Amino acid sequence: MSRTVRLPRTSRAPAGPGTLAALTAAAALVLTACGTGTGSGGSGGGSDTLTEIDYYDAAPQNTQLPAILDECGKQVGVTIKHQQVPRAQFLPKLLQQASARSLPDLALVDNPDLQQLAATGGLVSLSKAGLSTAGLYPSIVQAGQYQGQTYGIAPGVNGLALYYNTDMFKAAGLTPPKTWDELTADARKLTHGSRYGVAFSAIGTEEGAFQFEPFFWTAGADLKKLDSPQAEQALTLWQKLVSAGSASKSVVTWTQADVNDQFGAGNAAMMVNGPWQLPTLDANKKLHFGIVPIPVPNAAAKPVTPLGGETWTVGHSNAAREAKAVKVVKCLLGHDESAKWSKDAGYIPSNQQAAAQLAHSDPQMAAFVQEIGTAKARTTELGTGYPKVSQALADAIQAALAGGTSPASALSQAQRTAQN
Amino acid sequence: MSTTLHHAGARPAGPGADRPPKPRPRTAGPARARLAALAFTAPAWLYVAGFYLYPLAGSVRMGFQNYTVSSFYTGVAPYVGWANYRAVLHDSHFVRTVTNTLLFTAGSLLFQFCVGLALAVFFNRAFPLGGPLRSLLLVPWLLPLVVSGTAWRWILDTDSGVLNHALLGAHLIGHPVPWLASTHDSLIAVTLVNIWVGIPFNMVILYGGLQSIPRELYEAAALDGANAWRRFRHITLPLLRPVTAVVLTLGLIYTVKVFDVIMILTQGGPAGSSQTLTTFAYNLSFQQLEFGRGAAVGNLLVLVAVVFAAVYLRATREQRRAGR
Amino acid sequence: MLFPLYWLLNASLLPSTDLVKSSPTWLPVHGTLQGYRRALSSQGGHLLVSLGVSAGTVLLVLLIAVPAAYGLAKLRAPGGRPLTFALLIAQMIPGVVMANSFYTAANHLRLLNSPLALVLADSTLCVPFATLILQTAMRGVPAELSEAAVLDGAGRIRTLLSVVLPVSRNAVVTASLFSFLFAWADFLFAVTLTTQDDRAPVTVGIYRFIGAHLSDWNSVMATGIIASLPAAVLLVVAQRYVAAGVTSGAVKD
């Protein structure tokens, strides 16, 4: 999953007097690099206890993951100390740990961040450690690589698809849209009273960019050139949905979790979202919904969605610990464990065969599995340059949707920023 | 460093040393008196050096470095001179960010102060339930911002927000206002919430100031036939001036670096329309991973602080002179 | 002013499904106390941690700020202006700048997850403020009072403890209270310096609670209300002193 967090998970400063939030206001990140040198981190000690960090602080994943970890720890004969930090704190925390030379033994890292972290030199090469990626989707293997070495392997992956409310579609006599034109038309027809036709997240972070990329890529655009006519086409689609009133103006403030809330409450007839929302949606008994692939510009096109999902990494410590951590990763990626994780957390197994089985047995997952075959890792085109471009793209989306800027000029601005 | 601080703090100068043999303190020798005085402030000096200057030095250094993600691990970051500052100044968001910071700060300060003063004046007269009500007004200050910020997000929501419902109901607006979702309104919305959070601070301090104005002055003025407004203009405002200086200076310093209100409500968006220097620095560092540029913006902010601090000191110095 | 508070209270009582409804629910007629039950059971330990850390912060801040303020206000310590200047600037240093270097330091000193590290970090929020407030208040203490004490043969420390401090009691209470509240409300340092959930103060507790109960907003709002209660009680009790303390030196009467 990309960003499932609901609140802008920011560094929270205190609710001090007025804004005596004062000194904790987080602005520039400065890590006086004095942590380097002495390896006094938590990873310097013995090898009976391993440290682990992830950002699954939400139910149900926040209890499922530790359970699987404990199980694997038991098999390998180590205790695993887990730590779950909110998504927005995750990268800052890892960087702090990197600078203190105390990277955790195991970290579950979002795949677009993997190359950045691998570039620090703090991660153990998993290919050298003898872990195989055979049988996994090539795109996720690629996302885990940096300079020809594998540093991260995903137990499961995800993508985006179109959820639709079957009751509303039935009442309106519609079938789920396959093309952009159908999407626009259906959304307009389904907009009624306080209900919007479609919901998506256009928040000004990577999360918004992640949601836009299926449209962006399916149109044939390229992250290296944000101001192409294809990109403009995709952004125009989103802009029209909002300006026609088929999507709420609030999309620019919604996270994917907010979008899910809106859909669950019946405030939207369709939404763009990922499979990790399924546990929550399935629990809502009053809601009836179906899932289809993201609509495409014309009937002949195939959707290209961004590949979501986290990869397991091993931080450098000493030979004994690294060996044990690698063993734990091996266990986590094992058939049973990754199948269990996928099932509980709403993920698609990264093993192609297992995914095909899942698509067969679980119709809800079929649309997602179908898309994963053509899904694209976000760092494929740009590598470590991705975060900057994604931010520029998110800005352009917001400028077009909330600021009345034309898609063309918003995108050309973004292209200039990305090159700065 | 922290342990030495403790010792230094606990034992400022030997107690016996500064006890003069004869009760003539002023002749105890200026050098020794200065030394003793220094001993009292020494812990604070050490504290400033260890807890503020050291991190600040790191930030200043980082502002001149090309600091990447891998620098965190390797500690290696090439020096690039003023390149980060140049990049920031040429950033397409920079001008807007500075303007936003100014508007946000000025708007927050003005309204926090005015409403805070009005409430302080209001509560300065004793009336039934005044105490509990005043206490209730302090709650915004104590609530964790994650919580109150979220409540505000609901209130300001375009479609289901209670504010738009009320305004539509009163026929003050024709269409729902996208408070947080439009580039035109988002800055107003975050300023509004920040004012709400900041009013209690202003109220508490100003109320304290009002309480210490002698009642007789008002009584005398009332006898002279001055009406309420004149009493406010000619007694309250002048006598409140020193407190006003404190409130506004502290308010200014804190408002310039407000971070969480904005991050929770809009994350600086949409499209940077509610971005201020602090959120800009954060985004540069953590969204774009341009740590050097983030540090550069942070340093600019500290520079602004230096200017304000100088102004404050000048103001209080005059005040101190006037007081003597 | 009060409406958002009402709205929060309302939200803490409403079932979560009502919160995303397209029209607002004005009164929690179908209210539920479930949010409070859930919040109370999960945040007790965090409240205790917060209490300890906040109290420790108050102590440390007073230990540094009281002598400094005395030295600045009454003894005319050399370098007083630069120190005041430095303290003012210190208030403006962005929090993350400090948080990261504290993390590194705490890691070296093996103080991560220790309340001591949090006390040290949180104190940076309050030392400048406390020093300034105390300094203003002490300047207002009539010179004759302290001189009389010195004439009686009291040393500077005795003078400070038995004459100056009692007279500026209000400012001491104010500085302590504000320090307590800052430490209580601190989030950034708390989230940086604690890695274990059971050592985390209440702000981090709430934050994680929100993460874990995404669709459970009434619990979240209830947690917020519970977490602000201790601070609110303290503030109400001490408010009399605060009003007088902040301004005792600034307003001459």
Side-chain angles (χ1 to χ4, degrees):
Chain A
M1 85 177 137
S2 174
R3 270 57 165 163
T4 59
V5 287
R6 146 173 232 139
L7 274 178
R9 290 292 169 69
T10 63
S11 317
R12 254 278 298 138
T19 40
L20 276 190
L23 291 152
T24 53
L29 172 104
V30 167
L31 237 170
T32 48
C34 68
T36 52
T38 53
S40 65
S43 53
S47 56
D48 293 337
T49 310
L50 298 182
T51 52
E52 182 269 344
I53 187 169
D54 63 78
Y55 56 74
Y56 283 112
D57 57 351
Q61 290 95 340
N62 65 342
T63 47
Q64 291 157 349
L65 187 61
I68 294 176
L69 274 167
D70 287 345
E71 175 61 36
C72 281
K74 212 191 282 168
Q75 285 185 25
V76 177
V78 290
T79 334
I80 298 177
K81 259 167 68 183
H82 354 103
Q83 188 191 350
Q84 294 173 324
V85 300
R87 180 66 178 91
Q89 293 293 327
F90 187 74
L91 200 58
K93 192 126 219 162
L94 272 182
L95 293 176
Q96 281 166 348
Q97 289 170 335
S99 76
R101 295 266 166 158
S102 62
L103 273 175
D105 297 298
L106 297 159
L108 192 57
V109 178
D110 198 9
N111 77 70
D113 295 337
L114 185 274
Q115 299 202 347
Q116 290 280 354
L117 272 182
T120 65
L123 297 181
V124 171
S125 162
L126 297 179
S127 32
K128 276 190 194 147
L131 287 184
S132 155
T133 52
L136 304 190
Y137 281 107
S139 51
I140 191 64
V141 173
Q142 200 181 19
Q145 286 176 339
Y146 177 71
Q147 296 185 343
Q149 297 280 321
T150 298
Y151 288 95
I153 306 177
V157 293
N158 64 52
L160 293 169
L162 188 76
Y163 286 71
Y164 66 98
N165 187 311
T166 42
D167 295 339
M168 294 177 191
F169 269 76
K170 225 177 269 166
L174 294 171
T175 51
K178 289 199 178 64
T179 63
W180 286 7
D181 288 343
E182 289 171 27
L183 174 69
T184 313
D186 288 1
R188 192 184 315 117
K189 282 178 204 149
L190 288 160
T191 302
H192 181 69
S194 62
R195 184 182 78 201
Y196 287 102
V198 63
F200 47 83
S201 162
I203 199 158
T205 60
E206 157 60 15
E207 190 166 349
F210 176 68
Q211 285 247 324
F212 181 65
E213 276 156 359
F215 300 91
F216 181 86
W217 278 332
T218 305
D222 185 321
L223 285 175
K224 281 185 183 147
K225 192 166 158 42
L226 296 177
D227 50 356
S228 68
Q230 291 90 337
E232 191 189 332
Q233 241 184 344
L235 189 50
T236 308
L237 172 75
W238 269 29
Q239 194 202 28
K240 282 196 172 148
L241 285 172
V242 173
S243 63
S246 306
S248 168
K249 286 195 172 75
S250 297
V251 291
V252 291
T253 65
W254 285 345
T255 62
Q256 296 179 99
D258 291 325
V259 169
N260 196 45
D261 273 359
Q262 296 292 331
F263 183 75
N267 295 343
M270 298 179 269
M271 71 163 174
V272 178
N273 227 322
W276 64 88
Q277 307 288 14
L278 283 169
T280 323
L281 290 172
D282 285 336
N284 185 346
K285 295 290 170 225
K286 277 184 265 173
L287 185 74
H288 305 110
F289 62 93
I291 306 167
V292 291
I294 298 274
V296 291
N298 55 66
K302 271 220 170 332
V304 186
T305 58
L307 176 84
E310 295 77 13
T311 66
W312 280 113
T313 62
V314 174
H316 273 303
S317 52
N318 57 46
R321 289 176 75 99
E322 285 172 19
K324 288 205 169 154
V326 168
K327 270 190 200 158
V328 173
V329 170
K330 200 165 185 175
C331 163
L332 290 165
L333 296 170
H335 185 269
D336 293 352
E337 276 71 18
S338 60
K340 186 171 163 33
W341 169 240
S342 300
K343 190 169 177 312
D344 292 347
Y347 270 63
I348 299 150
S350 36
N351 184 299
Q352 299 190 54
Q353 235 176 346
Q357 277 169 16
L358 181 73
H360 194 67
S361 65
D362 185 351
Q364 276 189 332
M365 286 301 227
F368 292 108
V369 174
Q370 187 187 330
E371 287 175 344
I372 288 297
T374 52
K376 199 161 162 179
R378 279 162 277 175
T379 43
T380 309
E381 290 157 323
L382 301 158
T384 53
Y386 177 73
K388 202 170 169 175
V389 173
S390 129
Q391 181 62 42
L393 185 59
D395 267 354
I397 298 168
Q398 293 218 316
L401 263 49
T405 315
S406 77
S409 70
L411 286 165
S412 68
Q413 172 67 48
Q415 179 64 19
R416 277 200 302 278
T417 308
Q419 282 169 341
N420 179 12
Chain B
M1 67 188 160
S2 41
T3 41
T4 54
L5 271 182
H6 281 298
H7 292 305
R11 306 206 174 284
D18 54 349
R19 190 173 298 166
K22 278 180 280 179
R24 275 163 47 206
R26 301 235 164 192
T27 56
R32 218 157 84 186
R34 283 164 66 93
L35 210 63
L38 208 57
F40 276 93
T41 49
W45 274 115
L46 288 177
Y47 189 85
V48 165
F51 283 70
Y52 300 115
L53 290 186
Y54 174 72
L56 186 63
S59 172
V60 169
R61 189 179 62 183
M62 195 188 244
F64 291 114
Q65 285 175 314
N66 179 15
Y67 213 93
T68 61
V69 170
S70 58
S71 309
F72 282 95
Y73 190 74
T74 57
V76 178
Y79 285 89
V80 292
W82 294 95
N84 288 324
Y85 289 89
R86 269 199 299 275
V88 165
L89 291 178
H90 288 119
D91 193 295
S92 54
H93 284 296
F94 186 72
V95 175
R96 171 146 212 192
T97 303
V98 170
T99 325
N100 283 350
T101 312
L102 288 177
L103 289 175
F104 177 80
T105 310
S108 296
L109 273 185
L110 183 70
F111 286 99
Q112 280 172 3
F113 180 78
C114 291
V115 180
L117 182 60
L119 285 170
V121 170
F122 178 68
F123 283 111
N124 199 28
R125 297 170 305 170
F127 59 92
L129 285 181
L133 196 57
R134 204 178 68 218
S135 310
L136 205 57
L137 282 176
L138 299 177
V139 176
W141 177 6
L142 305 172
L143 273 176
L145 255 177
V146 186
V147 174
S148 53
T150 309
W152 272 105
R153 258 167 56 111
W154 293 330
I155 293 172
L156 295 172
D157 188 83
T158 315
D159 305 312
S160 64
V162 63
L163 180 62
N164 275 343
H165 269 261
L167 291 177
L168 282 172
H171 298 287
L172 286 173
I173 50 173
H175 302 281
V177 179
W179 293 108
L180 300 174
S182 127
T183 49
H184 306 291
D185 304 316
S186 63
L187 188 65
I188 298 174
V190 294
T191 312
L192 183 81
V193 176
N194 188 53
I195 291 169
W196 180 78
V197 177
I199 286 174
F201 175 71
N202 283 261
M203 187 183 80
V204 166
I205 299 191
L206 291 169
Y207 178 78
L210 287 179
Q211 291 276 298
S212 55
I213 298 177
R215 302 263 146 186
E216 305 87 63
L217 283 178
Y218 289 105
E219 285 156 18
L223 281 178
D224 288 348
N227 62 20
W229 169 245
R230 284 180 60 90
R231 288 196 298 260
F232 179 75
R233 276 269 335 250
H234 295 289
I235 301 175
T236 312
L237 277 187
L239 284 176
L240 217 51
R241 189 168 297 150
V243 189
T244 308
V246 173
V247 171
L248 287 183
T249 317
L250 288 177
L252 187 78
I253 289 183
Y254 299 139
T255 309
V256 166
K257 47 185 294 191
V258 162
F259 174 73
D260 40 9
V261 172
I262 297 174
M263 276 322 254
I264 289 168
L265 288 172
T266 62
Q267 298 182 306
S273 57
S274 56
Q275 190 96 277
T276 63
L277 283 170
T278 34
T279 57
F280 185 50
Y282 183 86
N283 281 344
L284 280 174
S285 292
F286 290 113
Q287 306 271 0
Q288 302 189 26
L289 305 179
E290 291 277 3
F291 298 100
R293 294 183 194 176
V297 174
N299 295 340
L300 289 178
L301 209 60
V302 175
L303 196 68
V304 174
V306 172
V307 174
F308 287 148
V311 172
Y312 175 82
L313 273 191
R314 178 160 287 252
T316 51
R317 189 174 51 178
E318 273 156 19
Q319 177 194 321
R320 225 177 299 166
R321 279 203 194 118
R324 274 195 193 112
Chain C
M1 266 306 281
L2 289 177
F3 180 76
L5 294 181
Y6 167 73
W7 209 238
L8 225 150
L9 190 69
N10 185 18
S12 75
L13 293 167
L14 284 175
S16 295
T17 46
D18 276 22
L19 294 173
V20 281
K21 276 215 307 224
S22 51
S23 65
T25 311
W26 292 90
L27 282 173
V29 271
H30 301 293
T32 162
L33 282 174
Q34 203 200 357
Y36 284 89
R37 274 194 291 275
R38 224 177 273 183
L40 265 182
S41 62
S42 70
Q43 298 300 320
H46 298 307
L47 284 170
L48 278 181
V49 174
S50 279
L51 210 61
V53 167
S54 305
T57 306
V58 172
L59 267 179
L60 177 61
V61 168
L62 289 183
L63 263 168
I64 293 169
V66 166
Y70 181 59
L72 290 172
K74 285 283 146 201
L75 304 178
R76 308 187 172 219
R81 281 178 62 79
L83 182 58
T84 315
F85 193 63
L87 285 171
L88 271 174
I89 296 169
Q91 301 226 16
M92 283 280 284
I93 302 177
V96 167
V97 171
M98 310 224 285
N100 285 300
S101 89
F102 289 158
Y103 177 86
T104 323
N107 188 49
H108 276 297
L109 301 169
R110 309 231 161 221
L111 282 179
L112 281 182
N113 289 317
S114 141
L116 180 62
L118 263 181
V119 166
L120 288 172
D122 284 349
S123 69
T124 59
L125 301 171
C126 334
V127 164
F129 186 79
T131 311
L132 295 180
I133 291 244
L134 286 166
Q135 188 191 341
T136 338
M138 287 180 183
R139 211 179 287 130
V141 176
E144 305 85 58
L145 266 184
S146 44
E147 273 165 20
V150 178
L151 280 174
D152 287 349
R156 286 189 184 83
I157 293 181
R158 277 263 312 275
T159 312
L160 168 63
L161 291 181
S162 56
V163 178
V164 177
L165 267 191
V167 175
S168 32
R169 180 191 60 189
N170 285 341
V172 175
V173 174
T174 308
S176 313
L177 182 78
F178 277 44
S179 306
F180 190 94
L181 292 179
F182 289 171
W184 183 270
D186 162 67
F187 172 77
L188 183 61
F189 292 144
V191 84
T192 311
L193 297 174
T194 53
T195 53
Q196 286 163 358
D197 195 38
D198 54 335
R199 300 286 187 86
V202 73
T203 40
V204 175
I206 296 184
Y207 193 60
R208 301 234 165 102
F209 188 80
I210 291 181
H213 298 78
L214 277 181
S215 305
D216 202 4
W217 284 104
N218 65 344
S219 309
V220 170
M221 294 294 134
T223 314
I225 287 177
I226 290 173
S228 59
L229 275 184
V233 168
L234 195 69
L235 191 61
V236 168
V237 170
Q239 207 194 343
R240 212 157 47 89
Y241 300 98
V242 175
V246 174
T247 53
S248 52
V251 178
K252 310 265 174 175
D253 39 19

